[in-house]
Amino acid sequence: MSNNKRDPASRQLEEWYEKNKSQIGYVTSEAGVAVPYADSSITVGKYGPIVLEDFNLFEQLAHFNRERIPERVVHAKGAGAFGYFEVTHDISKYTVSKVFEYVGKKTNIAVRFSQVAGNLGSADTVRDPRGFALKFYTEEGIWDLVGNNTPIFFMRDPILFPMFIKSQKRNPVTNLRDWDMFWDYLSLRPESTHQVMFLFSDRGIPDGHRHQHGFGSHTFSLIGKDRKLTWCKFIYKTNQGIKNLDPDKAQEIAGKDPDYALRDLYNAIENGKKTKEFPSWTFYIQVMTPEEAKHQSFNPFDITKVWPHEDFPLIKVGKFVLNQNPGNYFADIEQIAFSPNNLTPGIGASPDRLLQGRLISYQDTHRYRLGANYEQLVVNTTLNKVSNFQRDGRDAVNNQGGAPNYHPNSFGGPDPDPNAMSWIPPPAKVEGDVDYYDLGEDDNYSQPRVFWNKVLDEGGKSRLVDNLANSLKMTSERIRNRAVEVFSKVDPDMGDRLRNMLATEIVVNL
Ligand code: NDP
C-alpha cells in the first residue's frame, strides 16, 4: 500500500521522522552519556559469556522490567486527546467559576474516553458504558469532570461499586467474564435497571468515541455571588451526531481492529489539522434551585435518575474541541489521573451518595497506581503554583524548595485565601440519625418505564429485548427468570417480550 493511502495513525512514525531527522542525536544512557553500542552486549570473545561490567545492558533490562504500571482497576482501556473549552453563553449568574467567566473565554482541556470492564488490551467495540472524563486546566486549579456516556449509573451507594465491578469482571476461578455473576448482581440490585436498559439499547455500543454524548452524571453545585447555591447537571452532546454499531458489526470489528475507537479518534484529529474540522461537543447545564429540589417527585441526588428535560431544560454554555493528539500515549493518557474531588471555586459537590464515595476513592487509586506525587506528572499538573505542606515521597519533582513545611508558621504561611469565604457553599443544615440506610428500593422503575414507553420506538424496543435476550440466555435459569421479573416491573409488555424470546431462544452453554 502506498504511503498516502495509509491513515494518519499508521503514518505516525514516518511523519515523526520527516519532522525530526535533522535533529536526531546519538544514543545515550538514562544519564545522558553516549553509549557506544545499541545492538550488542559486551561478551568475552565472539561466542563467550556476557561480562558483569555491561551496565548498559543491565540498565535496559531493568528498565524494561519496570515499564508497566498497574492498569486501572476499571476503565483500563482508553483513548485521549487535548483541546479547549470555549464559553458561548453566559452562566455567570449561577457561578463565580472563572471557566465560565465571560463569553469567548477558552480553557485548555484533556479528555479521556474508556471502556469500563475490559483489561488494557481489550476490544473497543464491546457493549459497556464509556468513560468520558474532562480535565480543565483552569487558572484556579484543575477541574476534573469525570463523566460517562450515560446520565445515570448502576448504583446509588458507593459501597456497592466494588461489588458491581467484580460481578462484571473475571470469575476468580475460571478467569473468564461470567454471565451468571453479571446478571446475578444486576437482578438482585434493581436500582441498576435504568442504566442496564441504556446499556442494552442501541447506544450501548457507540461507533467510536466521537459519536456519543457525555454526562457529568452526578448532581453538582454551582456557587454564585454571595454564596448562592444552585444544583446542576453537566451534559455534553456530540456535534458529530449519535452513531452506534449493531452488535454483529461490533463483534466483527472487535476481531479485525480491537483498537477501532482509539484509531478513529487519533485519525479524526490528525485529519482535522488539514480540514479544520475537529471532534467537538456542545456543553450544557441543567439547573435546579434548592427550593425546587425539596419538591421533586424523585430524589434529585440519586444518580440512577435523570432530571426530565421538560422541567429542567438544557441551558447552552459552550463547546469543547479536541484538536491535539497525545504527544506520547503513556505519558499523557496512561498517566492522566482524573479525580471528582478536583473542583474549582464556584463548582461543588452535592449530597449524591455515589459522588461522596467517588470524592475520596479516585485520589486513592491514583496514589496506588502512580504514586503519592501523581499530580506532579506533567499531564496532571495545574497551571497554578502549588503551595501547601505536603512534601517528599517517590518522584517528588516539585518539592517546594525552601518554603516552610508546617502551619502555622512565622514565614509567610501560605495562609488560606480570605476571598475563599465568598465562594464556599452556604451553610447546609443536616439532621438525621447516624445509621445504615439501604436505598435499594427507592423508586427503581418509574424512569425506566418512561424510557421504554416514551423514548424507544418500536425498533428500539425490539432491539433492546433482542440484546437483553442474547445476553440473558447465557445465564442459569433462576438468574434469568429473576432478571425477567425485574424487566416485567418496568413494563409487563417488556417482561412478556423477553420471556417469549427466551422461551424460543436456544439457551447456549458456552
Ligand atoms: P426526553 O424525552 O426529553 O428526551 C429523551 C432523551 O433520551 C434524549 O436526551 C435522547 O437523546 C435520549 N435517548 C434516546 N435514545 C436513547 C437511548 N437508546 N439510550 C439513552 N438515551 C437515549 O427525555 P426526558 O427528560 O423527558 O426523560 C425521559 C426519559 O429519557 C428518561 O426517563 C430517561 O430514561 C431518558 N433520558 C433522559 C435524559 C435526561 O437527561 N433527561 C438523558 C437521556 C435519556 P438525544 O437528545 O441525543 O436524542
Side-chain angles (χ1 to χ4, degrees), residues 465 484-485 488 492 494-504:
V465 170
V484 172
E485 284 318 303
S488 301
M494 184 179 179
D496 289 345
R497 290 188 193 207
L498 208 43
R499 207 172 285 110
N500 292 341
M501 181 153 286
L502 284 165
T504 56

Side-chain angles (χ1 to χ4, degrees), residues 162-181:
M163 308 298 175
F164 159 71
I165 291 297
K166 284 179 186 182
S167 75
Q168 312 297 294
K169 283 199 167 243
R170 294 172 187 275
N171 174 308
V173 172
T174 63
N175 202 32
L176 295 164
R177 290 289 292 278
D178 186 312
W179 300 107
D180 275 358
M181 285 166 53

Side-chain angles (χ1 to χ4, degrees), residues 194 198 201 203 213 237 306-309 447 451 454-455:
H194 200 186
F198 275 37
S201 79
R203 294 193 191 186
H213 298 330
K237 291 204 167 199
V306 297
W307 292 2
H309 289 131
Q447 290 200 357
F451 182 64
K454 180 177 152 194
V455 178

